[in-house]
Every structure is written in structure tokens, then in C-alpha cells.
């Protein structure tokens, strides 16, 4: 577990310094943060939060969404969950936690600038960004990036594709739930990708590495990773397939047993604030807050054709979907 503590406020004006100090006096103590964010991104988020709240000491547990939720369940069985605030892949994960009465209702004042359909109406969680699952293509192996998901089942791309496992990745679990229930796809399509030799690997980061290195020509992966890798100079391109894309919103929520609710609420407010959303864009994500442009190479939510599913239904069926995935892919 990584621990972060506050940063200094050198260089600020006296009035601004006093305001910061006043807030810091009100918001302090330890905050336990569980997340599936990449470690580098979580570090940047916490550093920016500590610029505003220097007396909050943030400890982090980071892993794939499915492993984070498994840890929460283990803690629950032991008597008490240890997390104060969660930031995990998708709304379905939070729906399950909501049904288990593990979340605290908090309606941040920043929600007025967040699309209502990406926020839980009961205040149990709110989306923090928009991440679409797209096709990544290695441009040294493929002359023209495909425009359709059907490339995953095409004869000339046999054994050339890779995807993350829904047994580890919350985004992948959401994707399986959506694709298996979308007309034109379904489990038949997923079976065809298996028959065509698609590889399954632990998470989105590993998928991106396989495509960037040329080990695979195509990857099913979240969009920001492709844009980030392309910016580093890797021979990759991302496409939003014409049929549409599943999106996850990496929601944030507060645990019902949170030991430091004031700091947890301040953390949620910061992530959803204009400052927090600008940081999200700088890191490389499409912000969820209205009026903030996405990073170069990515689409905003209003520009995407979205493949979606009912999060309550997907939450109820997630374990059954995983079992079906194991039957089809043998993972």
C-alpha cells in the first residue's frame, strides 16, 4: 500500500494561503483510497488533492477492479471494510456494492455539471471520466486500421487479436455484459472471436503492450491507453468502431463504514470539480464534466456512438456472465 501526505503551499499569496489553511484545518487525517486506476495516474490525482488538502494522508490500494472488490468482500467477512473511498472501473461494480448496502449516499455540489445519466440518482456513486473501449491497431502490421468490430472475427486476422479478461478488469467485465446483450453481437460473436484465435490477457495495460510491441495486430482496449501510447511514439492507432463503443465512467463512491467521511467527501468534490476534471484531461482522459475538452485524439461523450446496458441488470448478471465467459474462452 502506498501512502501520500500533503505538499507545501509555497508561492501562494497570503489570502489564498489562509483559505487553504482553513480548509486544511477542517479536512485532515487519514484517508484510505482503493482504486483500479494506473498507479501513475492515482499518484497525480492524490498529489493534486494534497495541494488543496495538505493535512490529509492518503493510503492507496491499487489493483484490477475485480481484485479490489474481492478485497472489499474479504474485509467485510472479517468484520469491517477498510476503504474510505473507491474509484473503480464501472457503474456495474458500484451497483453491486450498492445492493449490498456498502456505500454511503453523498450528493456532491459538483454534480450539477455532470450528466445526470452518468450519476446514481441515490447519490451512491458518480462517474468521473468517460473511457470508451475501442480497437487499437499496430500500424506497422496493418496498413489501414479497421472501422468495425468484425475485424476480430475476420479470417485474415486469425490469431492477431487480444483482449483483457473480465475476470480481472472491470472494463472488460462491462464490455462482455454489453456485447453479449447487443443486437448483432451476442455470445455468438464472442464465440467467433474465440474461434478466430483472440488471446485473453489479464488487463488493459497488457493488451496495449502487446499491440504496441507488434506481438498482436489488434487490441480491444480502453481509448486513453491507445492515445497515450501513440503520443509516446508507438506505432498504434485507435478507432471508434462504427457499430458503437461500450463506455465506462470510472465512478467514485464513499464506503458506508468510512472512517473519515469529511476527507472522503472532499476527495469526491475535488475529482468532480473543474480543477479535478482539468487534471483528468491533462492526464489523458475524456472528462465527464460538461464544458471541458477531451485530450487530443479522444472523443467526448457527446461525440461517441455508445453501446450501453442497464447497470442494474448487468450487476445482477455479472457472475453468470463470467461463468459463461469461462465456458467460451476457457479462462
Amino acid at each position: 500500500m502506498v501512502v501520500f501526505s500533503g505538499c507545501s503551499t509555497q508561492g501562494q499569496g497570503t489570502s489564498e494561503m489562509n483559505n487553504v489553511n482553513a480548509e486544511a484545518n477542517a479536512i485532515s487525517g487519514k484517508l484510505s483510497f482503493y482504486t483500479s486506476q494506473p498507479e501513475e495516474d492515482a499518484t497525480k490525482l492524490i498529489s493534486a488533492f494534497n495541494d488543496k488538502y495538505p493535512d490529509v494522508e492518503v493510503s492507496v490500494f491499487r489493483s484490477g477492479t475485480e481484485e479490489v472488490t474481492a478485497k472489499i468482500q474479504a474485509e467485510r467477512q472479517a468484520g469491517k471494510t477498510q476503504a474510505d473511498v473507491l474509484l473503480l472501473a464501472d457503474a456495474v461494480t458500484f451497483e453491486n456494492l450498492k445492493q449490498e448496502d456498502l456505500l454511503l449516499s453523498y450528493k456532491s455540489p459538483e454534480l450539477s455539471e455532470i450528466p445526470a445519466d452518468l450519476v446514481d440518482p441515490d447519490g451512491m456513486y458518480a462517474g468521473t471520466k468517460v473511457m470508451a473501449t475501442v480497437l487499437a491497431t499496430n500500424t506497422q502490421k496493418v496498413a489501414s486500421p479497421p472501422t468495425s468490430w468484425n475485424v476480430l472475427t475476420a479470417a485474415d486476422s486469425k490469431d492477431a487479436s487480444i483482449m483483457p479478461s473480465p475476470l480481472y478488469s472491470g472494463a472488460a467485465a462491462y464490455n462482455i455484459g454489453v456485447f453479449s446483450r447487443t443486437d448483432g453481437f451476442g455470445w455468438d460473436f464472442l464465440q467467433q472471436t474465440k474461434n478466430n484465435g483472440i488471446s485473453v490477457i489479464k488487463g488493459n495495460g497488457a493488451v496495449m503492450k502487446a499491440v504496441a510491441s507488434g506481438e498482436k495486430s489488434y487490441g480491444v482496449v480502453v481509448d486513453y491507453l491507445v492515445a497515450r501510447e501513440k503520443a509516446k511514439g508507438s506505432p498504434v492507432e485507435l478507432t471508434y468502431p462504427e457499430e458503437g463503443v461500450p463506455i465506462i465512467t470510472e465512478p467514485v463512491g464513499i464506503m458506508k463504514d468510512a472512517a473519515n467521511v469529511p476527507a472522503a467527501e472532499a476527495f469526491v468534490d475535488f475529482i468532480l470539480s473543474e480543477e479535478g476534471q482539468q487534471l483528468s484531461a491533462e492526464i489523458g482522459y475524456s472528462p465527464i464534466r460538461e464544458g471541458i475538452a477531451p485530450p487530443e485524439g479522444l472523443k467526448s461523450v457527446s461525440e461517441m456512438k455508445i453501446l450501453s446496458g442497464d447497470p442494474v441488470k448487468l450487476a445482477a448478471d455479472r457472475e453468470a456472465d463470467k461463468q459463461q465467459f469461462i465456458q467460451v474462452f476457457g479462462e
Side-chain angles (χ1 to χ4, degrees):
M1 185 172 285
V2 182
V3 178
F4 297 82
S5 58
C7 304
S8 72
T9 53
Q10 292 180 356
Q12 294 176 320
T14 302
S15 176
E16 185 179 356
M17 179 88 75
N18 289 339
N19 289 338
V20 169
N21 288 339
E23 284 188 286
N25 289 334
I27 306 297
S28 60
K30 296 182 178 180
L31 184 70
S32 179
F33 176 44
Y34 286 17
T35 184
S36 60
Q37 270 194 317
E39 186 174 340
E40 179 183 356
D41 298 349
T43 299
K44 290 176 181 176
L45 170 62
I46 293 163
S47 177
F49 174 73
N50 276 147
D51 284 344
K52 190 168 186 178
Y53 298 102
D55 291 338
V56 178
E57 183 181 304
V58 185
S59 61
V60 183
F61 175 76
R62 199 222 75 80
S63 189
T65 290
E66 300 304 305
E67 291 189 359
V68 174
T69 54
K71 179 176 172 65
I72 291 169
Q73 295 300 339
E75 291 175 350
R76 183 188 183 193
Q77 292 297 319
K80 185 179 185 299
T81 55
Q82 301 302 310
D84 292 312
V85 62
L86 306 176
L87 194 151
L88 301 173
D90 64 309
V92 175
T93 297
F94 280 87
E95 279 295 329
N96 276 321
L97 296 171
K98 178 182 176 181
Q99 294 301 318
E100 295 172 16
D101 195 29
L102 293 177
L103 300 175
L104 181 71
S105 177
Y106 175 59
K107 296 186 177 181
S108 169
E110 303 293 343
L111 292 179
S112 60
E113 302 300 323
I114 309 298
D117 60 342
L118 303 181
V119 174
D120 176 56
D122 297 320
M124 300 298 181
Y125 60 89
T128 67
K129 54 184 66 72
V130 179
M131 293 185 289
T133 290
V134 299
L135 281 170
T137 303
N138 184 295
T139 56
Q140 291 180 340
K141 302 195 75 173
V142 179
S144 179
T147 59
S148 169
W149 291 112
N150 289 330
V151 71
L152 301 177
T153 61
D156 60 0
S157 59
K158 186 169 178 59
D159 301 326
S161 303
I162 190 167
M163 65 181 285
S165 171
L167 308 181
Y168 176 81
S169 163
Y174 180 78
N175 295 342
I176 293 298
V178 170
F179 277 123
S180 65
R181 290 168 177 79
T182 299
D183 290 345
F185 293 101
W187 283 107
D188 286 346
F189 171 78
L190 294 169
Q191 180 68 64
Q192 289 170 33
T193 68
K194 168 62 176 176
N195 295 345
N196 205 42
I198 194 170
S199 297
V200 179
I201 200 166
K202 199 171 185 181
N204 280 273
V207 170
M208 192 67 256
K209 287 180 181 178
V211 177
S213 69
E215 177 188 343
K216 295 292 182 179
S217 299
Y218 308 105
V220 178
V221 65
V222 287
D223 57 358
Y224 79 92
L225 286 179
V226 194
R228 186 176 292 180
E229 197 64 31
K230 182 180 178 180
K232 292 178 181 177
S234 294
V236 295
E237 188 58 80
L238 71 90
T239 51
Y240 294 81
E242 58 196 9
E243 299 94 343
V245 293
I247 66 166
I248 56 171
T249 58
E250 204 166 68
V252 64
I254 300 172
M255 295 297 288
K256 190 173 184 179
D257 290 340
N260 193 344
V261 173
E265 291 180 348
F267 196 71
V268 171
D269 291 347
F270 177 77
I271 291 172
L272 299 177
S273 70
E274 185 172 355
E275 181 182 357
Q277 290 289 293
Q278 289 284 7
L279 173 67
S280 187
E282 289 169 12
I283 291 174
Y285 299 105
S286 292
I288 202 167
R289 188 181 176 102
E290 296 174 353
I292 300 178
E296 183 178 355
L298 299 184
K299 292 185 176 183
S300 66
V301 65
S302 62
E303 297 173 310
M304 297 176 189
K305 182 178 180 181
I306 296 171
L307 302 178
S308 61
D310 176 5
V312 176
K313 172 67 173 170
L314 294 179
D317 293 347
R318 176 159 284 191
E319 289 308 312
D321 287 347
K322 288 181 186 177
Q323 292 306 311
Q324 182 66 25
F325 178 86
I326 291 170
Q327 288 186 29
V328 171
F329 288 87
E331 288 294 303

